[in-house]
Amino acid sequence: MQVSSLNEVKIYSLSCGKSLPEWLSDRKKRALQKKDVDVRRRIELIQDFEMPTVCTTIKVSKDGQYILATGTYKPRVRCYDTYQLSLKFERCLDSEVLTFEILSDDYSKIVFLHNDRYIEFHSQSGFYYKTRIPKFGRDFSYHYPSCDLYFVGARENNVCDINSVHGLFATGTIEGRVECWDPRMRNRVGVLDCALRSVTADSEINSLPTISALKFNGALTMAVGTSTGQVLLYDLRSDKPLLVKDHQYGLPIKSVHFQDSLDVILSADSRIIKMWNKNSGKIFTSLEPEHDLNDVCLYPNSGMLLTANETPKMGIYYIPVLGPAPRWCSFLDNLTEELEENPESTVYDDYKFVTKKDLENLGLTHLIGSPFLRAYMHGFFMDIRLYHKVKLMVNPFAYEEYRKDKIRQKIEETRAQRVQLKKLPKVNKELALKLIEEEEEKQKSAWKKKVKSLPNILTDDRFKVMFENPDFQVDEESEEFRLLNPLVSKISEKRKKKLRLLEEQELREKEEEEELEGKASDAESSESSDDEKGWVEEVRKQRRLLQQEEKVKRQQQLKEDQQTVLKPQFYEIKAGEEFRSFKDSATKQKLMNKTLEDRLKLEAKNGTLNVSDTTVGSKQLTFTLKRSEQQKKQQEAEKLHRQERKKLRRSAGHLRCRPRRGRPFH
């Protein structure tokens, strides 16, 4: 039993303990109770008080003896006998139940509204009658004086209710209005505009409020719940609400109940059940279950609450302040009196507990010491409306990030149940897959032969750049790769299929697993031997393909040259150059615009380039420099100049060294 307290109001949760599987034997259940303390201390008020998957609606019969609940899956209704504290019967249905009504004092007459437009009547023995309505129904009410059923459906109305005192029929529309009808006149007698009245100064509304809950109390009081989280309390004699209570969560109100002994109204959305005074609107207490709520039922003349949740287990809560325990579980009063002496933690309604680190993240540290923060233990309590506003301003995409993280976690959980494939790097995936397969084969052989295996390239840090940098990606379409690896075996084809499977799983994130059908190792070895035999033929085939591709490229280049239209161009003579003719300059310009491959071919044609294949498969290029005419003339002029200088030196030396006969020089 879990106990919580708000505004000094104790709330006891009677369904928080662990539930035992139905298929366990009594002996195993007793053994489990001896070992597990939580199982031993749990209180199982009603045996098997749960649904297989989800409980949608829950109600109590007028005599208080039977509790009926509907849920999935499969769609069913279960009836529990409170006198026996166990399941009385269970009936499976054809479709899910939106809501149901107990027409008799016990379970002998029940009407079910299904989500496929069918209305199903059940008697004490079981199924009795079935009919279909023209529109998809959303709610219905039973008029006891005339024994008529009033259904409201899609496109206009969401909920309805009939006043038990004067029989006024009221329905809530999607336009935020409440229309009141008199069954005796069959005419509309009044309209209330609740959408306009629900907007207050403190409320933030982003859409048109629609009516999601409706409940009468006495002859003149009516409570209306909206889809934006407001509860409006009306007196039928006025078109203005007496009170507007905001849940501050922005979720649709699912149910409203009146507790007359304390003048308290119980309103519930999918997250919280709030109990507040109907005269002042002051909060009395609140209850926030662990799972989302679908329906709430207040047991008559008691302080017990029954909830239908988005979980197999249905909730049972006991609040002694609201009233005594029902007669069939009167021992709860004695049990709760013993627990009242134990101190419990206090929870503040409409407040959010934050730590100092949370305030730093929100930028609200300057509010420490102000009335906006209330110090409590190692943190502070702040108004939940202020917290939501600041949170939205700091990170407006917090909900989307939270939603994406949850979706990512669900995907990872489903992936963990699949066949785990190898995680490959972004670069050279096929090479990495090949190395992984070779490493697995080496490990198998090393395990058989008990030989220590060598380290793999993938685990070596010296080669990690090869699988990270895109510049090291192997180009399988290149000429060198196709000539060195001419044989595309079936093993490589199988590897490519695995790669495609990995890419589909990473990009599309499919839930379905696509398994590849492989062959035995003997078949693969025979195929590899056949591939080795046809290596020469594959090399020749690749060479022919390369020649055909080269021929196609030349034809395309020739077509492009023929289609080009020549336009007049102007040329500028650079300093130090001699102009000869337009033909030489045009030829030189064309030569400079050509690619290296075309220039090499032209030089090979002129005899200045010699290309030859080597024994290892590469190519050898030999260049011969060719002198221009200007350089030749300059070299010939320099040669003639050198010859003339030699002659002058020889003649001058001959005159200087020859003596004069007869007389000496003076």
Side-chain angles (χ1 to χ4, degrees):
M1 181 185 295
Q2 184 179 2
V3 186
S4 61
S5 177
L6 174 64
N7 296 341
E8 298 181 357
V9 177
K10 295 290 184 67
I11 301 175
Y12 298 90
S13 177
L14 306 178
S15 58
C16 62
K18 294 183 178 180
S19 58
L20 298 178
E22 297 180 358
W23 42 266
L24 284 180
S25 61
D26 295 338
R27 183 178 179 181
K28 290 185 178 180
K29 288 182 180 179
R30 288 193 298 268
L32 204 63
Q33 289 177 357
K34 293 180 181 179
K35 295 180 181 179
D36 198 338
V37 180
D38 295 335
V39 176
R40 186 168 62 251
R41 289 182 178 178
R42 71 189 178 95
I43 296 177
E44 192 174 7
L45 194 62
I46 300 176
Q47 188 178 2
D48 298 331
F49 195 66
E50 59 185 13
M51 285 287 172
T53 307
V54 173
C55 181
T56 55
T57 54
I58 185 169
K59 293 182 185 297
V60 180
S61 62
K62 293 180 181 180
D63 57 4
Q65 183 179 354
Y66 303 101
I67 301 174
L68 285 90
T70 60
T72 59
Y73 178 81
K74 300 177 180 180
R76 67 190 65 202
V77 56
R78 285 184 172 181
C79 179
Y80 297 90
D81 191 348
T82 57
Y83 292 172
Q84 302 295 328
L85 299 179
S86 61
L87 179 67
K88 184 173 182 63
F89 66 84
E90 178 184 12
R91 298 172 186 171
C92 289
L93 306 172
D94 295 335
S95 58
E96 294 184 10
V97 176
L98 294 177
T99 183
F100 70 96
E101 188 71 30
I102 305 173
L103 304 183
S104 60
D105 293 339
D106 53 3
Y107 66 91
S108 58
K109 296 178 182 179
I110 313 173
V111 182
F112 297 97
L113 173 61
H114 295 275
N115 61 354
D116 56 353
R117 296 195 296 162
Y118 274 101
I119 310 300
E120 195 168 325
F121 296 86
H122 281 231
S123 63
Q124 188 173 4
S125 59
F127 173 77
Y128 180 75
Y129 181 71
K130 190 174 185 180
T131 185
R132 199 173 191 184
I133 57 179
K135 302 291 183 182
F136 286 94
R138 293 181 178 176
D139 196 8
F140 73 96
S141 295
Y142 180 64
H143 189 247
Y144 282 90
S146 61
C147 298
D148 292 333
L149 284 173
Y150 292 87
F151 293 89
V152 294
R155 295 186 182 181
E156 287 295 334
N157 301 303
N158 293 330
V159 292
C160 65
D161 193 21
I162 294 179
N163 195 303
S164 58
V165 179
H166 47 68
L168 185 66
F169 174 75
T171 176
T173 67
I174 60 175
E175 297 176 352
R177 298 177 180 177
V178 174
E179 298 180 357
C180 298
W181 300 73
D182 190 350
R184 298 169 299 178
M185 300 174 57
R186 298 185 180 271
N187 290 325
R188 189 173 66 184
V189 295
V191 178
L192 293 175
D193 191 356
C194 301
L196 183 61
R197 302 295 182 182
S198 64
V199 181
T200 59
D202 299 333
S203 61
E204 294 183 0
I205 298 174
N206 299 323
S207 61
L208 178 65
T210 61
I211 308 302
S212 59
L214 189 63
K215 188 70 174 180
F216 279 107
N217 182 39
L220 300 175
T221 307
M222 180 180 65
V224 179
T226 64
S227 60
T228 53
Q230 290 85 25
V231 180
L232 294 83
L233 190 63
Y234 278 93
D235 189 320
L236 295 180
R237 295 169 293 184
S238 174
D239 60 346
K240 296 180 181 180
L242 301 174
L243 185 66
V244 178
K245 181 65 177 177
D246 195 349
H247 269 220
Q248 303 293 340
Y249 283 100
L251 299 173
I253 303 297
K254 294 202 169 184
S255 64
V256 181
H257 296 277
F258 289 88
Q259 217 282 344
D260 296 328
S261 60
L262 297 177
D263 290 336
V264 172
I265 296 177
L266 287 79
S267 57
D269 55 23
S270 60
R271 185 179 295 181
I272 192 171
I273 304 173
K274 286 193 175 184
M275 308 172 199
W276 43 280
N277 189 279
K278 70 177 184 179
N279 297 320
S280 62
K282 185 178 179 181
I283 194 70
F284 179 73
T285 186
S286 66
L287 173 62
E288 191 169 357
E290 183 179 359
H291 304 279
D292 290 345
L293 294 169
N294 289 328
D295 193 15
V296 177
C297 177
L298 179 62
Y299 197 91
N301 303 321
S302 71
M304 180 171 287
L305 279 177
L306 306 174
T307 61
N309 311 320
E310 284 287 328
T311 182
K313 209 167 193 179
M314 291 178 280
I316 304 177
Y317 299 92
Y318 177 49
I319 307 174
V321 180
L322 295 181
R327 185 174 56 182
W328 49 273
C329 56
S330 58
F331 62 89
L332 289 177
D333 291 329
N334 299 329
L335 187 62
T336 53
E337 288 177 1
E338 297 176 1
L339 296 175
E340 283 183 357
E341 298 179 359
N342 298 331
E344 298 294 337
S345 60
T346 304
V347 181
Y348 296 99
D349 184 61
D350 296 336
Y351 281 88
K352 173 70 176 180
F353 180 80
V354 292
T355 60
K356 191 173 182 180
K357 187 176 181 181
D358 296 335
L359 293 176
E360 292 176 357
N361 296 332
L362 296 174
L364 299 178
T365 53
H366 62 282
L367 295 180
I368 297 177
S370 65
F372 294 99
L373 297 177
R374 298 183 182 181
Y376 182 78
M377 295 180 67
H378 63 284
F380 306 90
F381 276 104
M382 65 181 300
D383 193 283
I384 194 169
R385 293 172 294 180
L386 176 62
Y387 175 79
H388 286 318
K389 288 181 180 179
V390 177
K391 187 73 174 176
L392 186 62
M393 293 172 62
V394 172
N395 190 3
F397 304 103
Y399 176 73
E400 292 296 331
E401 294 176 359
Y402 171 78
R403 180 173 174 271
K404 290 179 181 178
D405 292 338
K406 286 294 182 181
I407 293 173
R408 193 179 298 110
Q409 291 177 5
K410 292 292 184 182
I411 292 174
E412 293 297 332
E413 290 176 0
T414 55
R415 281 181 177 177
Q417 301 175 0
R418 301 179 182 177
V419 179
Q420 297 293 328
L421 299 177
K422 306 173 184 65
K423 187 176 181 181
L424 300 178
K426 296 181 179 179
V427 183
N428 291 326
K429 292 184 179 180
E430 188 172 357
L431 178 60
L433 184 59
K434 180 181 178 182
L435 294 174
I436 291 174
E437 292 177 355
E438 292 178 354
E439 183 66 21
E440 291 178 354
E441 293 178 359
K442 287 181 181 179
Q443 289 179 358
K444 290 180 182 179
S445 60
W447 180 75
K448 291 180 180 179
K449 298 179 182 179
K450 296 182 180 181
V451 180
K452 186 177 180 181
S453 59
L454 298 175
N456 193 4
I457 296 178
L458 291 172
T459 58
D460 198 338
D461 294 337
R462 296 175 296 175
F463 302 97
K464 66 179 182 179
V465 185
M466 186 171 63
F467 301 100
E468 296 177 356
N469 194 346
D471 296 336
F472 292 92
Q473 178 66 41
V474 177
D475 187 9
E476 299 183 0
E477 301 297 330
S478 62
E479 181 179 352
E480 291 79 6
F481 182 85
R482 293 171 64 178
L483 291 177
L484 293 176
N485 301 275
L487 187 61
V488 183
S489 62
K490 294 183 180 179
I491 299 176
S492 62
E493 292 293 336
K494 181 182 178 182
R495 193 176 295 119
K496 288 181 179 179
K497 289 182 180 179
K498 289 184 180 180
L499 284 175
R500 285 195 296 268
L501 178 62
L502 286 171
E503 291 177 356
E504 289 178 0
Q505 183 176 354
E506 292 177 357
L507 296 176
R508 301 179 183 176
E509 297 181 351
K510 289 184 177 179
E511 296 182 358
E512 297 83 12
E513 183 67 20
E514 297 180 2
E515 298 179 357
L516 295 174
E517 297 181 358
K519 294 185 178 180
S521 58
D522 298 337
E524 292 179 356
S525 60
S526 61
E527 289 173 358
S528 61
S529 61
D530 295 338
D531 293 337
E532 292 174 358
K533 291 179 181 179
W535 187 84
V536 179
E537 288 78 3
E538 290 292 336
V539 172
R540 293 175 181 175
K541 182 179 179 180
Q542 291 295 330
R543 286 189 179 274
R544 288 195 298 269
L545 290 175
L546 290 173
Q547 292 175 0
Q548 291 178 1
E549 291 176 359
E550 185 67 25
K551 185 177 179 181
V552 171
K553 287 181 181 179
R554 287 198 300 268
Q555 292 177 357
Q556 291 179 355
Q557 186 66 28
L558 182 60
K559 288 181 180 179
E560 291 178 359
D561 294 340
Q562 292 176 356
Q563 292 177 358
T564 54
V565 179
L566 298 177
K567 297 181 179 180
Q569 297 180 356
F570 297 93
Y571 299 93
E572 182 181 357
I573 301 174
K574 296 182 181 180
E577 291 186 359
E578 182 181 358
F579 177 75
R580 296 178 181 176
S581 63
F582 288 103
K583 184 176 181 181
D584 295 340
S585 61
T587 305
K588 187 176 180 181
Q589 187 68 23
K590 286 183 179 180
L591 184 62
M592 293 302 295
N593 292 334
K594 287 186 178 181
T595 60
L596 177 62
E597 182 181 3
D598 296 337
R599 279 184 281 172
L600 291 177
K601 290 180 180 179
L602 184 60
E603 291 177 359
K605 185 177 180 181
N606 296 333
T608 59
L609 176 65
N610 184 20
V611 182
S612 61
D613 295 334
T614 61
T615 57
V616 294
S618 59
K619 293 185 178 182
Q620 181 177 358
L621 285 79
T622 305
F623 295 91
T624 304
L625 298 177
K626 188 177 181 180
R627 298 176 181 176
S628 61
E629 295 294 334
Q630 186 177 0
Q631 291 176 349
K632 288 181 181 180
K633 289 181 180 181
Q634 187 177 359
Q635 288 178 359
E636 290 177 359
E638 290 177 356
K639 185 177 181 181
L640 292 174
H641 181 66
R642 285 195 297 270
Q643 290 177 1
E644 289 178 359
R645 287 179 63 85
K646 286 181 182 180
K647 289 179 181 181
L648 290 174
R649 289 194 196 102
R650 288 176 184 176
S651 61
H654 180 70
L655 292 174
R656 188 171 53 249
C657 298
R658 186 178 179 180
R660 189 177 179 182
R661 294 180 181 179
R663 294 181 182 179
F665 291 102
H666 294 284

